[in-house]
Amino acid sequence: MALNLVPVVTVDGPSGVGKGMVVRALAARLGWHRLDSGALYRILAVAAQDRGIALEDTQAVAALAADLEIRFEGRTEEDEVILVDGVDRVDQVRSEAAGGLASRIAAAPPVRAALMQRQRDFRRLPGLVADGRDMGTVVFPDATLKLFLNASAEERARRRAAQLSGRGQAVILHDLFAEIRARDERDRNRSVAPLAPAPDAVEIDTSFLSPAQVLERIDELLKTRGFIR
């Protein structure tokens, strides 16, 4: 079957807006595959650092992408496992530091090219729900439904602090806020695939919405598009 006949829902937006929660819920609701593209960049950045590869050496970082065995397990944030070469690296991959490292390599053309096909390979029947920053603009421009989630930097810092604290990681809210603002600046102003909603994306501000309210709004969209009844 042609890949463009496999339906895709993309969920884009900056960190801390609830993309992971939405994608996990939608994938379970629809019975579709799930792609966390941001985790791929985090994994690659962490793996490069572990091997002593300078992130500025984007050719070497890109070459590493093909050698990593990556597997995602678990259907909730609480039971998530990220296996990299057979070792669970979920805590390191989900740390704020890893997010900063990923942002440093995400705009590099060699890195993006190395991960592009790996992301598109997730597109399989019965469908795919993809989470990232450029899923609807670059990776799956023909997606059936495109969502773009956003929230204030202050609210996103508060959410991340709660999330990381729940994993036993020490956080300083002011530092976290500064890191989020710096990453936003890099992501929105990079020359390659800057963070922005696709022209045909449905935008949802989650700043003052509970997870249940966000999913309720998306459920309405899915019904309108005929995904569910």
Side-chain angles (χ1 to χ4, degrees):
M1 174 177 285
L3 287 180
N4 60 4
L5 296 180
V6 178
V8 178
V9 173
T10 58
V11 184
D12 287 313
S15 64
V17 295
K19 298 192 304 290
M21 176 274 296
V22 165
V23 167
R24 280 189 289 267
L26 289 184
R29 180 96 156 85
L30 298 169
W32 290 5
H33 302 287
R34 175 171 68 93
L35 166 62
D36 182 344
S37 69
L40 296 183
Y41 284 93
R42 286 169 175 251
I43 290 167
L44 185 56
V46 168
Q49 193 175 61
D50 287 349
R51 289 161 173 76
I53 299 173
L55 297 186
E56 293 73 23
D57 187 352
T58 55
Q59 292 289 352
V61 173
L64 179 61
D67 297 332
L68 297 175
E69 181 184 343
I70 301 168
R71 193 164 78 249
F72 298 93
E73 296 182 357
R75 298 187 64 175
T76 68
E77 184 178 315
E78 289 71 26
D79 68 0
E80 182 179 40
V81 174
I82 299 178
L83 294 171
V84 182
D85 293 334
V87 178
D88 183 13
R89 303 295 296 274
V90 66
D91 288 339
Q92 189 173 9
V93 170
R94 293 302 185 197
S95 70
E96 200 62 23
L101 295 176
S103 185
R104 289 170 56 190
I105 65 170
V111 173
R112 297 187 62 79
L115 290 179
M116 180 68 74
Q117 190 57 49
R118 193 151 195 173
Q119 293 172 86
R120 288 177 171 163
D121 287 342
F122 278 79
R123 189 174 193 171
R124 310 186 299 276
L125 286 173
L128 174 67
V129 185
D131 156 3
R133 283 169 168 73
D134 61 356
M135 295 295 97
T137 53
V138 176
V139 184
F140 303 108
D142 62 339
T144 318
L145 172 63
K146 301 176 185 179
L147 303 172
F148 190 91
L149 307 186
N150 213 338
S152 68
E154 292 84 357
E155 174 61 17
R156 288 157 50 209
R158 187 193 65 77
R159 293 175 184 175
R160 282 294 287 166
Q163 185 181 50
L164 295 172
S165 294
R167 292 180 181 147
Q169 299 181 32
V171 294
I172 299 174
L173 186 60
H174 179 270
D175 292 348
L176 194 56
F177 174 73
E179 288 173 10
I180 286 175
R181 289 289 298 271
R183 190 186 315 165
D184 284 353
E185 186 72 14
R186 287 195 299 269
D187 290 347
R188 288 178 174 139
N189 293 292
R190 65 194 187 195
S191 59
V192 179
L195 173 65
D200 53 345
V202 177
E203 297 186 51
I204 301 174
D205 189 329
T206 71
S207 298
F208 303 105
L209 298 177
S210 67
Q213 289 172 320
V214 174
L215 291 174
E216 184 178 340
R217 290 197 180 185
I218 294 173
D219 249 16
E220 293 172 2
L221 289 170
L222 293 176
K223 290 174 183 176
T224 301
R225 304 294 177 94
F227 288 108
I228 59 175
R229 295 182 178 180

